[in-house]
Amino acid sequence: MSACLHTGEPMNKNILAASVLAATAGLASGQDIVKIGHVAGITGPVAYFGKDTENATRMAIEHLNARGTTIAGRKVTFQLVAEDDAGDPKQATSVAQKLVDAKVNGVIGHQTSGTTIPASKIYHTGGIPQISPSSTSPKYTQQGFNTAFRTIANDVQLGQALGRYATGAMKVRRVAVVDDRTAYGQGLVMEFSRSLQQQGGTIVAREFTNDKATDFSAIVTRIRATKPDMVFFGGLSATAGPMLRQMKQLGMNVRMMGGDGICSDEIFKLSGGTMVDGQVVCAEAGGVRGEGKAGMDQFRADYKKRFGIDVQINAPYAYDATMVMADAMVKAGSAVPAKYLPFLAKANYKGVTGPVAFDARGDVRDGTITLYGFKGGKRSLITVTK
């Protein structure tokens, strides 16, 4: 409010005109801003995963703005609204409500299944489309929410592929399974166990821990007594790394397998350097083959140039999630969630991770799986499969 209104003096006509113009310009500008929320654990033991997808979402938004994206003939500015749920389900629901109240146009996230599932209910109630680039629990898209999507394969596909590889290429028969009691860890272990047993393998021990644990000596001691060929871990590298170190300390030199939660170079550091070449095999939901590899390689190079660090795992899927959401808005001629949601549901977008289209539940169609080993503490590609 102008100072002259406080003093009772008449407002100069030029000032009044300028004020009205500024207000009108601000209103127009506000209408042309498209707010994209991103939520992940930006703090905590797996913050490097959260920052990975936040960076990629930011990069996608920068690219959309640089190309001058228009919706219904009007140039729009995409704006990132980044939030941290610290990997905590309670904080995730609080943040989700905050984004709904802020009237964001869409959300990329959350990071883990344990945070994505409770948050998805809030987005559905608020009518906000949500695309997770990293949550793999089947439960996320089994809730019947038409606002829930993901750009990577789920744990059913992941677990089946790992079970086939363990019994086939690795010739494993006796496996001890451990999960971290999260929605992700439990779901992955269940699907892997089912696949392993279908292929003739046997589960010789079932143990569980939690995603904050640091002492695994009792678990490792019990597992060692069952003489397994391999340990399958459902959880994240922040837990798997120390577990590998304690396995080594207790003379248990067997292989470990897991999902995308342990599929990062961080696991070698977190094992204290005790992880040996070939000891760990992991699978990442997603992956490209053939001619698609050039596009993925270019994305990784662009990401490193922009942020000065390598892609961890899910950055390409966050980038594609942002792009497919924006593409749906452009095709709908509107960034209003209710108007572009039908176009998102029938998306057919060519992304850096390959074609992005969703089935009736919101799962990505024809999701691929990439298997990795480790050599010299670095991930080493084994194969891309379905």
Side-chain angles (χ1 to χ4, degrees):
M1 185 174 286
S2 172
C4 62
L5 294 182
H6 289 293
T7 61
E9 295 175 4
M11 179 180 277
N12 180 284
K13 288 183 179 179
N14 290 334
I15 295 176
L16 178 61
S19 298
V20 172
L21 182 62
T24 305
L27 179 61
S29 175
Q31 290 174 337
D32 292 340
I33 290 176
V34 179
K35 294 188 286 187
I36 303 295
H38 174 275
V39 192
I42 305 302
T43 56
V46 289
Y48 50 89
F49 280 143
K51 205 64 186 173
D52 191 46
T53 55
E54 184 186 289
N55 284 344
T57 305
R58 177 174 285 107
M59 191 164 85
I61 285 173
E62 290 171 354
H63 289 174
L64 287 166
N65 289 336
R67 68 175 62 161
T69 303
T70 61
I71 296 177
R74 293 168 64 91
K75 186 177 178 180
V76 298
T77 299
F78 287 86
Q79 183 181 87
L80 177 65
V81 183
E83 295 288 348
D84 176 19
D85 66 16
D88 175 50
K90 290 183 179 179
Q91 193 164 322
T93 56
S94 176
V95 167
Q97 190 60 57
K98 180 179 177 182
L99 290 178
V100 171
D101 292 344
K103 296 184 176 4
V104 297
N105 299 86
V107 173
I108 308 301
H110 294 210
Q111 175 187 356
T112 66
S113 298
T115 53
T116 302
I117 292 170
S120 65
K121 298 174 184 177
I122 293 170
Y123 297 128
H124 178 65
T125 300
I128 307 296
Q130 169 195 14
I131 308 177
S132 175
S134 53
S135 301
T136 55
S137 171
K139 292 180 181 178
Y140 168 50
T141 51
Q142 289 173 354
Q143 300 174 99
F145 298 157
N146 68 336
T147 50
F149 302 87
R150 70 172 120 225
T151 49
I152 56 168
N154 64 32
D155 286 339
V156 174
Q157 296 161 298
L158 200 67
Q160 288 174 349
L162 285 168
R164 289 194 299 269
Y165 189 78
T167 56
M170 297 176 71
K171 308 299 182 187
V172 164
R173 288 293 176 268
R174 297 170 54 81
V175 180
V177 298
V178 186
D179 73 71
D180 66 357
R181 276 304 186 252
T182 63
Y184 164 71
Q186 288 179 293
L188 183 59
V189 163
M190 181 179 71
E191 296 301 336
F192 168 79
S193 299
R194 184 179 296 163
S195 177
L196 180 85
Q197 290 166 330
Q198 287 173 346
Q199 310 300 322
T202 303
I203 303 299
V204 297
R206 297 179 186 271
E207 297 285 345
F208 66 89
T209 180
N210 65 75
D211 57 354
K212 306 293 190 300
T214 56
D215 183 5
F216 309 102
S217 55
I219 289 174
V220 172
T221 299
R222 287 194 296 270
I223 288 175
R224 185 178 59 184
T226 66
K227 296 181 169 51
D229 301 323
M230 185 180 78
V231 173
F232 185 91
F233 179 64
L236 304 179
S237 50
T239 311
M243 187 181 295
L244 281 165
R245 184 174 66 247
Q246 290 176 39
M247 285 169 58
K248 178 75 171 180
Q249 291 169 347
L250 292 171
M252 188 178 172
N253 300 311
V254 300
R255 290 169 290 184
M256 176 181 281
M257 177 180 271
D260 50 0
I262 71 167
C263 222
S264 163
D265 293 349
E266 292 293 320
I267 191 173
F268 178 76
K269 302 172 190 174
L270 292 162
S271 76
T274 60
M275 190 177 95
V276 299
D277 289 356
Q279 184 179 7
V280 174
V281 172
C282 61
E284 173 185 313
V288 294
R289 296 182 287 189
E291 61 184 29
K293 191 175 182 301
M296 180 67 84
D297 289 345
Q298 185 61 55
F299 172 82
R300 291 178 180 276
D302 292 344
Y303 180 97
K304 187 164 187 176
K305 182 179 179 181
R306 171 65 180 85
F307 300 107
I309 54 176
D310 289 323
V311 165
Q312 288 291 325
I313 296 177
N314 298 117
Y317 305 96
Y319 183 88
D320 276 357
T322 310
M323 288 301 196
V324 75
M325 185 175 280
D327 187 61
M329 293 175 183
V330 170
K331 288 177 178 174
S334 176
V336 174
K339 292 184 178 180
Y340 81 80
L341 181 58
F343 289 84
L344 182 59
K346 58 183 180 182
N348 185 11
Y349 181 80
K350 186 177 181 180
V352 296
T353 62
V356 179
F358 304 108
D359 65 16
R361 282 182 169 169
D363 286 311
V364 69
R365 293 184 185 275
D366 299 319
T368 55
I369 307 295
T370 304
L371 286 160
Y372 291 95
F374 289 84
K375 187 174 182 180
K378 300 289 184 182
R379 285 197 318 176
S380 175
L381 177 69
I382 296 174
T383 187
V384 178
T385 185
K386 287 189 178 181

